[in-house]
Amino acid sequence: MGLTTALLALAGASYVALPAGTLDSVLARDTDRKPTRIAAFALRETPVTRAEFKRFVDAHPPWQPGRVPTVFAGAGYLLQGLDDTAAPVTGVSWFAAQAYCESEGARLPTWYEWEYAAAADATRTDARQDPAWRARILGWYARPANGPLPVVGGDANVYGVRDLHGLVWEWVDDFNALLVNADSRSAADPDRLKFCGAGAIDLQDRQNYAVLMRVALLSSLGAADSTGTLGFRCAREVTR
Amino acid sequence: MLRRLLQLTAITTATLLPFTSHAAPELPVIQAQLTSPPLVPPPTGRKAPAKVVVELEVIEKDMPISEGVSYTFWTFGGTVPGSFIRVRQGDTVEFHLKNHPTSKMPHNIDLHGVTGPGGGAASSFTAPGHASQFTFKALNEGLYVYHCATAPVGMHVANGMYGLILVEPPEGLPKVDHEFYVMQGDFYTTGKYREKGQQPFDMEKAIAEQPTYVLFNGAEGALTGDRALTAKTGQTVRMFVGNGGPNLVSSFHVIGAIFDNVRFEGGSLAQKNVQTTLIPAGGAAIVDFKTRVPGSYVLVDHSIFRAFNKGALAILKVDGPEDKSIYSGKEVDSVYLGDRAAPNLNAVTTATTAAAAGTLTPKDQIAAGQQLFAGTCSVCHQANGAGLPGVFPPLAKSDWLGQDARRAIGVVLNGLSGKVKVNGKDYDSVMPPMNQLNDDEVANILTYVLNSWGNAGGSISADEVKQQRTKKPAATTQAAH
């Protein structure tokens, strides 16, 4: 683990290639209930750390707290400060996360990309029906978030991606298309007009509440918001 | 952008339409006083509606659910159940829901006292480190549950996200000496009941509706021991009792008390003289009763295995003077022997009548004493007074009685424990106090004994027994039992 982070620091961020595939998302689009096709992409092996984000802010002063306009980063932005540790950075707005990823020549992953990568466990690409997979995620939800976060570099999943579960929530590029009704109980009668052209994505797999809670968290946020347990990682197109 | 457009539309509309004030006349603004269970805020005491500002904070925190067992609760105000909110019917409530920055989850609140879709849920959906505001008018009086309604709703409720809001009727509730806040909930942990350590939530058990714990106020022992509810005798006690669920319906009962009034389902009608009231999940009731007899009153869910095997127990401790006319305490603890113990007690009646008339003779006493002896004493000392060798001393031809017949009064009233030598043999056992016998009965029994089985004769009067009873009993080893 220590070795991994040390290597990352030396060699720049490490990205892992994920092959194209299909995903039965917990989200379902009105128009298409068939599995979603995911194009090949590369995903950052670990979430962005506090040390990495510190270097970014040092190099890009407009993103320093106090200088960044509040429309891009609200009051909670980097509230816990920054340091040189390999703990995941939190308290970052969607705009700031997006800007960071651009500095790595990358972007934020889409929800489908993130969900596709996170469906895996150490040996399978889709372990979501395994109660053990679900239980591990729920174990993290059950732990209160009032202590310091551990450092990145947990066990790799079958693709080689780490820390998708059990460390932090993560921003996705299209988080505000995750239009979960704020009152989840009324989903049988969704206020579809409210969602305009976004296409009223709704939750399909209601049993999979472990993932559902991640969607609920993201859907409660605006792009300038941040929380103490919300971090991010970046994605790239695969270079051929 | 959309919001901005909507705002523009709103401004345009406002400028085009003649300004009609739908706002109520200026209301006094009051900051709501919230309390943690089992406390209840004081009555509003207001004669007119006000604008009441409620600020409620959501905190996710580890707390003991039982001794040595920790659970991550999600709370409204840091407690389970959440803070008690008290407003008056007709009040306009400005509600601020704050989600603490250390929270992992977004949360919201559905107040059953709100008239409007979701009870405020959609309007109060709040990310960690954020605050939401919405306003409602408390149209209906009553006692209402509030709870979190964020997906998965059942999990948020099972983690303790519920509480009560009281909407007082305009005239207020009748004055009482004590008001308490008690709320039942069912909890689902992966470990067994009382399995030590940090216990995570178990979704499978929750779906199967098989709780590990059923609790009042969020923890075993929340309302027992030092933390029991307390009152004095002759006081009126009102309990605001809610049931957060998520699954179970409560059969709420207070052992040893009868509810004088129950506003069942938290509504306006009151049922009188109720033993057990049903409180649905997501429902509440207001119960009141007068404390008349001191002692510990046990609050239970009378689905009784929940009380004794899952923790649904709380105590109301009532202190004050006894009222023997309402409840005597144990009056008789006698051996029951079926046919043998159904003696003809005519002689006892005769003796009682004679004693009252002042015409009691030793003969009456002996006859009555014989019948009483058969019921109370003969089991150990035997009908012929011979006792059992080595265990129960003989009363027949007893040198111990012969030395001082009067000391037998103390033995009957206070019991006798430890070594005693009778007719040359040592006995070392315990005779319990027979203080359930009244003075007449003790006198008659002893008179019978003194005049039977070769004893020296004589009589004991009820007055002598009375005198002895008022004396402090001689210190014996009885205290050790």
Side-chain angles (χ1 to χ4, degrees):
Chain A
M1 191 169 78
L3 184 64
T4 312
T5 46
L7 284 174
L8 279 178
L10 285 173
S14 161
Y15 281 73
V16 174
L18 278 80
T22 57
L23 172 74
D24 279 314
S25 174
V26 297
L27 306 175
R29 288 166 300 170
D30 278 349
T31 50
D32 181 11
R33 297 257 172 196
K34 281 184 290 207
T36 306
R37 278 207 61 77
I38 312 289
F41 69 105
L43 191 62
R44 216 171 187 280
E45 184 184 343
T46 56
V48 175
T49 66
R50 295 168 68 83
E52 288 163 341
F53 202 81
K54 184 163 182 281
R55 285 200 295 278
F56 165 74
V57 170
D58 289 345
H60 301 83
W63 287 103
Q64 284 168 7
R67 294 189 62 172
V68 62
T70 51
V71 288
F72 292 137
Y77 181 61
L78 297 177
L79 206 59
Q80 300 101 324
L82 288 171
D83 52 40
D84 292 320
T85 67
V89 67
T90 57
V92 177
S93 69
W94 178 88
F95 290 111
Q98 191 71 288
Y100 177 94
C101 288
E102 277 173 31
S103 78
E104 278 191 2
R107 56 174 171 81
L108 286 171
T110 65
W111 168 258
Y112 285 138
E113 286 169 344
W114 193 93
E115 192 185 1
Y116 178 66
D121 68 0
T123 55
R124 294 164 290 186
T125 55
D126 189 349
R128 291 177 296 170
Q129 294 311 312
D130 184 350
W133 178 89
R134 204 171 291 182
R136 257 186 47 221
I137 298 173
L138 293 171
W140 177 62
Y141 293 169
R143 283 196 294 278
N146 42 18
L149 291 166
V151 296
V152 302
D155 293 339
N157 72 11
V158 69
Y159 302 116
V161 184
R162 301 170 195 273
D163 305 319
L164 285 161
H165 299 294
L167 196 56
V168 284
W169 307 111
E170 294 183 22
W171 279 114
V172 294
D173 182 61
D174 50 351
F175 80 97
N176 63 356
L178 305 176
L179 290 165
V180 175
N181 195 323
D183 185 353
S184 65
R185 301 163 299 174
S186 61
D189 179 25
D191 188 357
R192 293 188 184 278
L193 284 178
K194 190 161 81 181
F195 302 149
C196 279
I201 291 173
D202 211 336
L203 295 165
Q204 178 164 277
D205 186 0
R206 298 190 138 262
Q207 285 302 307
N208 203 337
Y209 65 103
V211 176
L212 194 153
M213 286 166 75
R214 194 170 272 272
V215 176
L217 184 278
L218 288 172
S219 68
S220 72
L221 296 166
D225 292 341
S226 55
T227 88
T229 43
L230 175 63
F232 70 100
R233 74 178 74 216
C234 314
R236 275 178 190 157
E237 310 306 321
V238 277
T239 45
R240 290 165 203 277
Chain B
M1 180 57 82
L2 181 63
R3 186 178 295 174
R4 194 167 157 69
L5 281 173
L6 286 172
Q7 278 170 354
L8 285 173
T9 317
I11 292 162
T12 320
T13 316
T15 48
L16 288 179
L17 291 174
F19 183 72
T20 51
S21 173
H22 57 272
E26 199 83 350
L27 292 170
V29 179
I30 291 168
Q31 186 77 24
Q33 182 191 342
L34 307 184
T35 56
S36 298
L39 303 179
V40 176
T44 64
R46 276 187 282 111
K47 297 266 180 282
K51 178 175 171 181
V52 180
V53 180
V54 175
E55 303 203 28
L56 191 56
E57 186 181 38
V58 174
I59 306 164
E60 301 170 0
K61 62 195 281 202
D62 272 351
M63 292 191 286
I65 191 168
S66 181
E67 190 164 329
V69 189
S70 177
Y71 188 80
T72 304
F73 291 93
W74 299 347
T75 72
F76 286 111
T79 56
V80 177
S83 307
F84 196 103
I85 306 166
R86 187 168 196 155
V87 300
R88 181 184 176 277
Q89 196 235 315
D91 282 351
T92 297
V93 182
E94 182 183 293
F95 206 100
H96 298 257
L97 188 71
K98 303 167 175 179
N99 192 356
H100 198 270
T102 61
S103 292
K104 273 209 179 103
M105 302 297 163
H107 299 287
N108 64 7
I109 191 165
D110 167 356
L111 299 118
H112 291 180
V114 168
T115 304
S123 316
S124 60
F125 190 48
T126 310
H130 285 253
S132 299
Q133 179 189 330
F134 66 101
T135 301
F136 66 93
K137 189 161 186 179
L139 295 178
N140 300 61
E141 65 170 74
L143 181 62
Y144 298 97
V145 167
Y146 66 76
H147 63 92
C148 183
T150 302
V153 182
M155 181 178 182
H156 283 252
V157 172
N159 282 347
M161 297 198 78
Y162 45 76
L164 291 178
I165 176 170
L166 173 66
V167 182
E168 287 180 354
E171 70 279 12
L173 294 170
K175 197 172 161 3
V176 291
D177 296 305
H178 295 280
E179 289 186 327
F180 296 117
Y181 172 20
V182 177
M183 200 156 178
Q184 182 173 324
D186 28 303
F187 295 87
Y188 304 82
T189 63
T190 50
K192 289 195 195 66
Y193 175 63
R194 287 185 175 170
E195 193 171 315
K196 304 290 181 210
Q198 168 74 27
Q199 289 294 335
F201 169 72
D202 189 322
M203 188 62 143
E204 300 307 318
K205 283 184 189 168
I207 292 170
E209 305 192 11
Q210 289 168 346
T212 326
Y213 294 88
V214 181
L215 301 170
F216 292 120
N217 289 7
E220 234 185 338
L223 295 172
T224 61
D226 292 345
R227 292 186 284 175
L229 308 173
T230 56
K232 294 198 167 21
T233 50
Q235 291 189 320
T236 41
V237 172
R238 174 181 293 139
M239 292 182 182
F240 298 101
V241 189
N243 183 8
N247 289 322
L248 301 187
V249 168
S250 174
S251 302
F252 184 72
H253 176 75
V254 176
I255 299 174
I258 299 155
F259 303 136
D260 294 327
N261 300 289
V262 175
R263 285 184 177 230
F264 51 94
E265 296 165 4
S268 305
L269 289 180
Q271 171 70 295
K272 293 188 180 303
N273 305 318
V274 176
Q275 55 189 313
T276 300
T277 191
L278 206 61
I279 307 180
I286 307 174
V287 306
D288 67 66
F289 55 96
K290 187 156 185 180
T291 56
R292 295 174 188 276
V293 177
S296 286
Y297 292 81
V298 186
L299 285 61
V300 295
D301 180 342
H302 215 296
S303 294
I304 209 71
F305 273 106
R306 298 174 189 169
F308 297 107
N309 299 75
K310 295 186 173 182
L313 277 178
I315 302 281
L316 169 68
K317 202 164 175 301
V318 177
D319 286 322
E322 299 277 357
D323 185 344
K324 297 282 193 187
S325 71
I326 295 176
Y327 187 72
S328 68
K330 190 167 228 172
E331 290 184 310
V332 175
D333 183 359
S334 62
V335 175
Y336 174 64
L337 294 170
D339 290 346
R340 211 179 134 195
N344 181 346
L345 291 177
N346 286 344
V348 176
T349 314
T350 307
T352 308
T353 317
T359 60
L360 186 71
T361 64
K363 203 176 154 219
D364 292 330
Q365 281 196 282
I366 292 165
Q370 181 172 16
Q371 291 178 346
L372 292 163
F373 186 94
T376 305
C377 318
S378 67
V379 183
C380 299
H381 293 292
Q382 305 304 307
N384 60 6
L388 284 176
V391 186
F392 303 120
L395 303 177
K397 287 184 202 147
S398 166
D399 60 350
W400 197 85
L401 271 177
Q403 286 156 24
D404 179 2
R406 296 287 174 277
R407 67 178 166 186
I409 301 171
V411 172
V412 174
L413 292 176
N414 305 318
L416 184 66
S417 171
K419 284 205 168 114
V420 58
K421 193 171 211 144
V422 183
N423 295 348
K425 292 210 171 74
D426 284 318
Y427 294 86
D428 189 0
S429 54
V430 177
M431 172 169 161
M434 297 292 163
N435 50 13
Q436 78 277 9
L437 298 168
N438 66 30
D439 298 344
D440 281 330
E441 290 166 340
V442 174
N444 294 346
I445 289 170
L446 289 174
T447 303
Y448 165 67
V449 170
L450 293 176
N451 289 281
S452 303
W453 320 307
N455 285 325
S459 70
I460 303 279
S461 73
D463 278 348
E464 287 174 284
V465 178
K466 190 176 184 176
Q467 276 175 30
Q468 190 93 343
R469 197 191 290 271
T470 51
K471 272 193 240 162
K472 200 178 154 78
T476 65
T477 50
Q478 184 66 37
H481 295 272

